Amino acid sequence: MLRDAIKTWAKRIKRDLHALYLAGRDPRVPWYVKLLAVATAAYALSPIDLIPDFIPVIGYLDDLLLVPLGIYLVVKLIPPQVMEECRAEADRRQDSPPGSRTAAGLVLLVWAGAFLVVMVWIWRLLSA
């Protein structure tokens, strides 16, 4: 029973991620909500995590807490009618989830930029 509940929850999260992707492209959604929707979906689908998964227990906390909380926040900000339509469309497209090389490139670019900033900061700290 618990296993079925977890499977249902996971399917709902997956569907809502797809719906957020669709809502991020809808003109009825405000720009700041689109930005949050894209950021949440990109983080959830990114292979790079805030806390690496190889760290025992803590590594999965971001996947179990941050992603669902981000989805919840964005869903609450999207107009209800738009979210219903996006969820219905996500259900229809269940077998073909969104994929974007552009989004993957942007995520990698952001992480590379963050890495560069940290490396410059460390270099300045050590050379002072």
Side-chain angles (χ1 to χ4, degrees):
M1 293 197 195
L2 178 63
R3 188 169 143 185
D4 293 335
I6 291 172
K7 279 185 178 182
T8 302
W9 179 74
K11 284 181 183 180
R12 203 171 329 136
I13 293 275
K14 186 177 177 182
R15 184 216 43 211
D16 280 354
L17 274 174
H18 192 164
L20 289 184
Y21 168 80
L22 296 171
R25 304 177 80 185
D26 193 300
R28 297 172 290 175
V29 176
W31 68 269
Y32 58 91
V33 179
K34 286 182 182 185
L35 186 65
L36 276 171
V38 169
T40 301
Y43 181 77
L45 300 173
S46 171
I48 303 168
D49 288 339
L50 187 62
I51 304 168
D53 289 341
F54 64 81
I55 298 174
V57 182
I58 298 172
Y60 291 105
L61 283 180
D62 62 337
D63 295 328
L64 294 174
L65 295 176
L66 291 180
V67 172
L69 285 174
I71 291 170
Y72 177 78
L73 172 68
V74 176
V75 165
K76 290 296 180 187
L77 293 173
I78 294 172
Q81 180 184 357
V82 174
M83 196 61 205
E84 284 178 33
E85 291 172 17
C86 291
R87 282 180 173 150
E89 184 64 23
D91 283 336
R92 278 193 292 278
R93 296 186 191 180
Q94 190 174 22
D95 296 330
S96 59
S100 170
R101 289 185 180 171
T102 304
L106 286 174
V107 169
L108 287 175
L109 188 63
V110 167
W111 281 107
F115 178 75
L116 182 62
V117 166
V118 169
M119 294 310 292
V120 167
W121 178 72
I122 290 173
W123 180 71
R124 287 185 178 179
L125 190 68
L126 293 176
S127 65

